Amino acid sequence: MTDFAALARDALSACGLSMRAAARALNYDPAYLSRVLGGKQPPSRQLAEGLDRITDSGGRLAAQVVGYGATSVARDHADPIAVELAHMRSSVAHFLDHDNLYGGDTVAAAAVQVWRAGQRRLDRGSLPEGVTREYLAAVAEVAQVAGWLLFDADQQDASRAAFLESHMLARHAGDRSKQWFALDMLAMQNVERHRTGETLRIADELLSQAKLPPRVALLARVRRARALALAGCRRQALDDLDAVSVGLGDSLNPRDPSWTWWVNEQEAAGQRGDALLALGDSQAAVPSLQRACELAGAFRPDGRGVFYYRVSLLSAYARTRAWMEYESTLLSVLPLLETIGSGRNRRRFRSLMHEIARDTETPAWVVDLMRSAEPETVQPGGRAC
């Protein structure tokens, strides 16, 4: 991707933007952007589109990414294994782009299909000598993406199975980066399902490893903090989250895997907000969740991330009885329900609506607003007005 890197550097230079300024504007990890601009790592489609936007390049950079994938497949058309590898890699980028915009519901099944096709090839043992490890790593990555999309679609048992399979494949491939990723995803899902003991064991296992890249260590501390918050261990949880916030500026390291690009201020703020909600300190959670929502909106104004943080904000506003803020946030969430298919976030939203409607201290006008705005979520009779 040296052509892309050169074009991107020229575009930033022409606009007078430094690499760090671009990273801040796009809410990307500067280390990741540095690797892309240095030609050491291929860009994602969303990064290319973001760079097009801030440099006013008219789609030239995004076209480079699309062209690269198409050329690779055409060049390797005579080699079915190469075609499969190229398809897996391009599918990963497409699935993640779609998820960031619209959620994982509609693409989860397609990701599972690509993963299972690769798995069948591995099970047949029909790979040519010399490509097995590369193929194992590619299937491990697709399994990770399938696991994430299933998680977002709220198919939790299937998601866990995909993460476990991904970890095994990455171990067979000798790919430590993907092993760390699979473990982090398992810890994330355990937080969602309130499996605090397993989350803490995974975090401790990661943190005990020698030469763990800094950003992977930060993620392990995030997962540990969330588990501790669920267990009511306030001081220990906030100590870990404080260390994560401080470490964001100090942890840029060439050893950080490319997938850690999203370990940024948005992630730190959102995790702190959710941890404070779990600890019952909704008032303190509000500024962190507002900041996470602001940063998510700068990345994808109407994307899944904004949906997630607004639901968390709704919870914080309801628990602090900030009903005017609750109203405006609820009205901003409703249009997202029409475009974002994220079973996990819809479940969070529905559960919150039911909880608020059943609360006898909720003003009648708030319940009426919820019923008129989303009648299928808040049924009449859920609370006596």
Side-chain angles (χ1 to χ4, degrees):
M1 294 302 294
T2 53
D3 290 345
F4 175 90
L7 284 172
R9 290 195 303 270
D10 289 346
L12 290 171
S13 177
C15 294
L17 284 171
S18 68
M19 182 274 294
R20 287 192 173 273
R24 284 195 301 272
L26 297 173
N27 196 27
Y28 271 88
D29 178 7
Y32 167 67
L33 185 56
S34 176
R35 288 193 293 270
V36 171
L37 295 180
K40 298 176 181 177
Q41 182 174 335
S44 66
R45 176 64 186 270
Q46 61 262 34
L47 172 61
E49 290 174 347
L51 288 170
D52 268 327
R53 186 171 65 252
I54 66 171
T55 61
D56 197 24
S57 295
R60 286 190 305 121
L61 298 174
Q64 282 285 314
V65 177
V66 174
Y68 175 78
T71 302
S72 297
V73 173
R75 183 180 64 240
D76 296 325
H77 73 279
D79 183 348
I81 303 300
V83 170
E84 289 176 25
L85 285 168
H87 178 68
M88 281 190 276
R89 289 164 181 153
S90 62
S91 294
V92 162
H94 169 71
F95 293 147
L96 292 177
D97 280 346
H98 184 96
D99 172 65
N100 280 325
L101 278 170
Y102 307 117
D105 286 6
T106 57
V107 289
V112 170
Q113 183 179 32
V114 176
W115 160 37
R116 292 298 188 193
Q119 188 74 57
R120 284 194 295 273
R121 168 80 75 175
L122 289 170
D123 291 343
R124 290 197 303 268
S126 58
L127 288 165
E129 204 172 322
V131 300
T132 300
R133 292 183 66 175
E134 181 183 6
Y135 201 92
L136 277 164
V139 179
E141 183 176 21
V142 177
Q144 285 169 355
V145 171
W148 162 254
L149 296 171
L150 290 164
F151 173 78
D152 190 53
D154 214 27
Q155 299 179 44
Q156 299 301 334
D157 289 341
S159 172
R160 180 178 174 85
F163 290 144
L164 288 169
E165 185 70 21
S166 172
H167 184 259
M168 184 189 70
L169 291 168
R171 185 163 51 83
H172 289 320
D175 191 323
R176 296 188 69 195
S177 170
K178 289 184 176 60
Q179 292 178 61
W180 294 325
F181 197 4
L183 287 173
D184 176 68
M185 291 290 98
L186 280 168
M188 171 200 69
Q189 191 194 43
N190 283 324
V191 169
E192 181 78 12
R193 305 185 84 173
H194 290 207
R195 291 176 171 169
T196 56
E198 185 172 336
T199 305
L200 292 171
R201 288 193 294 274
I202 291 173
D204 288 343
E205 177 186 341
L206 284 167
L207 291 168
S208 69
Q209 295 185 20
K211 297 183 179 179
L212 190 70
R215 291 274 157 142
V216 180
L218 288 184
L219 273 173
R221 299 194 75 161
V222 163
R223 307 309 180 197
R224 186 170 67 184
R226 291 293 307 279
L228 289 168
L230 289 171
C233 302
R234 180 186 177 92
R235 188 64 268 154
Q236 298 96 312
L238 295 183
D239 283 348
D240 263 335
L241 291 169
D242 288 343
V244 169
S245 296
V246 171
L248 283 176
D250 300 331
S251 65
L252 301 182
N253 190 293
R255 293 191 297 112
D256 289 324
S258 60
W259 56 265
T260 61
W261 65 266
W262 46 270
V263 185
N264 53 25
E265 184 187 353
Q266 173 190 312
E267 184 72 11
Q271 295 288 351
R272 176 177 287 273
D274 281 338
L276 288 166
L277 281 179
L279 288 164
D281 195 348
S282 301
Q283 190 70 53
V286 168
S288 292
L289 292 172
Q290 288 174 332
R291 179 59 176 159
C293 199
E294 175 190 344
L295 293 170
F299 178 56
R300 294 285 192 192
D302 299 311
R304 175 188 43 76
V306 170
F307 185 15
Y308 178 90
Y309 292 121
R310 284 182 184 169
V311 172
S312 292
L313 265 175
L314 282 173
S315 180
Y317 288 144
R319 293 175 188 176
T320 56
R321 310 302 183 196
W323 295 118
M324 299 308 294
E325 291 85 352
Y326 178 90
E327 178 186 22
S328 62
T329 304
L330 174 62
L331 294 175
S332 74
V333 165
L334 296 177
L336 301 179
L337 293 171
E338 299 177 5
T339 57
I340 297 176
S342 170
R344 171 189 175 226
N345 286 309
R346 287 174 178 271
R347 184 249 305 157
R348 294 174 65 239
F349 180 71
R350 287 194 302 269
S351 297
L352 178 62
M353 295 298 101
H354 288 308
E355 175 189 332
I356 294 169
R358 289 193 301 266
D359 187 341
T360 57
E361 294 186 17
T362 302
W365 69 267
V366 173
V367 179
D368 290 339
L369 171 66
M370 293 190 300
R371 286 177 179 159
S372 62
E374 190 65 13
E376 293 182 3
T377 299
V378 181
Q379 296 296 331
R383 172 186 179 275
C385 297

